[in-house]
Amino acid sequence: MARRSNTFTFPTLPAVSWQPGLPVHGAPTWVIVVGEGGLPAAAKEAGERLGVDLDRLYEVQQATGFSPTAGATASYPLLTGEVTEVLLVGAGDGSAKDLRHAGAAIARFGRGKDELTAVVAEGIDDATLQAVAEGVVLGSFAYTQKTVDTGKPVVGRVTLTDGSASERQAVLDRGIVLGRTGWVARQFAITPSNEKDPAWMAARATELAASSGLEVTVWDEKQLAADGFGGILAVGKGSTRPPRFIRLDYVPAGATKKTPYVVLVGKGITYDTGGLSLKPREGMVSMKRDMTGGGSVMATMSALRELGANVRVTGLICSAENMPSGTAYRPDDVIRHYGGRTTEVKNTDAEGRLVMADGLAYAVKELKPDAIVDIATLTGAIKVSLGSMLYGGLFATDDALADNLADAGRVSGEELWRMPLAEQYQELISTPIADSVNSSKGPGSITAALFLKAFTGDIPWAHLDLSSIAESPADRFEYSVGATGAGARLLTTWLTSETPTSGIG
């Protein structure tokens, strides 16, 4: 029997605060963030406070191999005074991306420490300063169920300053919340599936709704059957742990009928064996994170009120466990989805699109939003196209929607590459038995997107296939090895921008 968590609490994050002017004393460890242009302007005064010639220290460290590439570090112990060490951290070209990496490096170095004081470039712009805070949060991530050697705790506090009298705490606070969405999505994805099932997802969504000012509705297996959610039911039939359909609603203060409305649809497969089209053992490893899309939608929804998003948003999570058994759905079965469209099953391991189809059809028929964005770890084929940890796949029927999402991807560091929706491949998913098949030979990520497109009506729609950025092979920059929680920061950045639906029509 699954061991269940009774409640979900937001993770313990490091405090990230702004200090106008250099602190008189500061922490035992000082961090100097160094870009390609050299030391920050406040380094001279900081060096005087510390009794260290930081220019000379930087020269010596460069001579021994340190360079200011993003995330590079070099530490130097101090033998006298209250400050015990100085850490140089590379900021690369000074972009938000490179400063996010620098923030993560600070967090990793700070594990087990109570406080760090970090000196950044004077006048650092808001987007870049925000990225530092995001990096500190993301680089602090840890998840373990070990009972021994559990590792050092996250740094207690990182105090940032540029030496000026400016007040920048609000910028850092936004970065903390954005980083937290990535952390929460990652924590959902990395939770083992003996604990995590569709009911667990529904419980977590209910708790997040209570703490985030959202409305929540959950369909159990009986209500799913009564309302005709054939795709979600079919995929969940083989498991003893039944499926769920979860709806979260955010309405901003002062919303009117003219307030833009967006629906997110997330794939919530809490474990994917492939069903009767059983995966090999190697293919099942990491399939606990096949609900990354649904987890990212939940994490995004939890941040909207705190960050003041000015659009209405509904998040739909289509959750099931794909297992083989005597009750499992079979190749050649025909499924009737929400709204009536039919699918002939050719591969039970192409299950994500079957549950997502129900969510999309529901959004079109019942919600009628201005735009729909679905998010999933949908195909291995996208990794063949785009490789690992560089880009997620973006398919869209509306150029403005695609551009807005791509811009948010660049800002958040979860970058997207637009893929074609080539109608010439439609024939590859045709069948005389039903409206479509769920799997075929050919360009797998494109045919999967075309399958979903049929359920989106004439509403502007984008499909994010993030399998290519859902699993980090190593501890690098803001990611630790394993599930990345891909998509949460991207969606949150997009939905909390000033005009997320600009140009969409």
Side-chain angles (χ1 to χ4, degrees):
M1 181 174 289
R3 179 178 65 80
R4 304 194 186 280
S5 300
N6 293 323
T7 59
F8 175 84
T9 56
F10 280 123
T12 301
L13 305 178
V16 185
S17 59
W18 181 260
Q19 169 71 51
L22 290 179
V24 175
H25 297 290
T29 299
W30 280 52
V31 179
I32 310 299
V33 180
V34 186
E36 292 174 353
L39 295 170
K44 186 177 189 314
E45 183 182 350
E48 292 172 354
R49 295 274 183 95
L50 301 175
V52 177
D53 184 341
L54 289 177
D55 286 313
R56 176 59 179 157
L57 173 60
Y58 181 37
E59 289 175 7
V60 170
Q61 293 294 345
Q62 283 184 302
T64 57
F66 174 79
S67 69
T69 55
T73 59
S75 62
Y76 181 79
L78 301 181
L79 302 180
T80 61
E82 295 179 353
V83 178
T84 59
E85 60 188 340
V86 173
L87 177 72
L88 301 180
V89 172
D93 62 9
S95 64
K97 178 179 179 180
D98 281 1
L99 265 295
R100 190 177 294 111
H101 296 342
I106 292 169
R108 286 200 174 93
F109 184 83
R111 282 201 167 276
K113 300 180 185 296
D114 292 332
E115 186 177 3
L116 303 176
T117 296
V119 181
V120 297
E122 185 174 0
I124 183 172
D125 66 49
D126 285 354
T128 309
L129 182 60
Q130 176 185 304
V132 178
E134 290 174 34
V136 170
V137 172
L138 294 166
S140 298
F141 179 82
Y143 178 92
T144 183
Q145 293 192 11
K146 293 178 70 171
T147 58
V148 295
D149 300 326
T150 56
K152 296 178 180 179
V154 301
V155 59
R157 178 179 297 276
V158 176
T159 301
L160 295 168
T161 180
D162 66 355
S164 73
S166 61
E167 176 51 65
R168 310 287 296 279
Q169 187 61 46
V171 176
L172 296 180
D173 289 343
R174 176 177 168 82
I176 293 167
V177 176
L178 276 161
R180 189 188 71 203
T181 66
W183 181 312
V184 170
R186 201 184 305 184
Q187 185 168 323
F188 285 158
I190 209 168
T191 298
S193 293
N194 62 314
E195 179 176 346
K196 174 179 63 187
D197 67 1
W200 184 95
M201 292 282 286
R204 301 295 80 81
T206 300
E207 291 157 2
L208 285 176
S211 64
S212 306
L214 307 173
E215 294 295 323
V216 61
T217 310
V218 177
W219 282 252
D220 64 12
E221 65 274 26
K222 292 180 181 179
Q223 195 63 49
L224 287 169
D227 290 349
F229 286 86
I232 297 173
L233 285 167
V235 174
K237 276 175 61 179
S239 176
T240 59
R241 306 197 287 178
R244 295 289 184 269
F245 181 58
I246 305 158
R247 173 176 170 174
L248 293 167
D249 284 286
Y250 164 76
V251 180
T256 68
K257 290 182 179 180
K258 294 183 178 180
T259 300
Y261 183 27
V262 172
V263 171
L264 307 176
V265 181
K267 175 184 173 183
I269 301 297
T270 56
Y271 197 76
D272 182 19
T273 66
L276 293 180
S277 304
L278 196 67
K279 295 177 183 286
R281 184 197 67 80
E282 296 81 2
M284 286 190 219
V285 174
S286 81
M287 283 298 100
K288 66 182 181 180
R289 61 105 177 108
D290 208 22
M291 39 56 65
T292 291
S296 293
V297 168
M298 288 161 58
T300 295
M301 296 296 296
S302 75
L304 296 180
R305 193 165 303 282
E306 196 168 355
L307 294 179
N310 57 17
V311 291
R312 288 176 56 211
V313 185
T314 294
L316 304 175
I317 298 94
C318 311
S319 189
E321 185 176 65
N322 190 23
M323 299 289 285
S325 75
T327 60
Y329 77 124
R330 298 158 291 256
D332 288 342
D333 282 1
V334 174
I335 293 169
R336 188 171 298 276
H337 294 276
Y338 189 92
R341 186 176 171 87
T342 57
T343 298
E344 184 181 15
V345 177
K346 290 302 180 184
N347 182 354
T348 66
D349 194 22
E351 84 297 330
R353 66 202 71 180
L354 298 177
V355 301
M356 300 279 282
D358 279 359
L360 291 169
Y362 174 86
V364 170
K365 183 179 179 181
E366 307 296 340
L367 305 180
K368 301 177 177 59
D370 298 306
I372 300 173
V373 176
D374 76 63
I375 175 171
T377 49
L378 201 67
T379 69
I382 200 68
K383 291 191 282 188
V384 177
S385 299
L386 298 177
S388 177
M389 294 305 294
L390 287 178
Y391 301 98
L394 164 64
F395 300 81
T397 57
D398 184 277
D399 289 342
L401 177 58
D403 289 344
N404 295 350
L405 287 166
D407 288 344
R410 281 187 288 272
V411 171
S412 67
E414 295 186 321
E415 296 201 50
L416 301 172
W417 191 273
R418 191 171 183 183
M419 302 287 289
L421 272 169
E423 291 294 334
Q424 296 92 320
Y425 294 132
Q426 190 70 47
E427 64 183 32
L428 297 177
I429 55 173
S430 65
T431 171
I433 304 299
D435 294 316
S436 181
V437 294
N438 76 322
S439 180
S440 69
K441 295 180 180 179
S445 61
I446 298 175
T447 54
L450 288 170
F451 174 89
L452 293 175
K453 178 175 178 287
F455 293 87
T456 62
D458 59 359
I459 294 175
W461 162 74
H463 162 55
L464 307 181
D465 187 347
L466 302 187
S467 293
S468 50
I469 58 172
E471 189 85 10
S472 176
D475 292 340
R476 189 164 186 263
F477 298 139
E478 60 264 41
Y479 296 113
S480 52
V481 63
T484 64
R489 291 184 293 122
L490 160 67
L491 291 176
T492 306
T493 298
W494 172 52
L495 291 170
T496 59
S497 63
E498 289 188 10
T499 52
T501 57
S502 174
I504 296 172

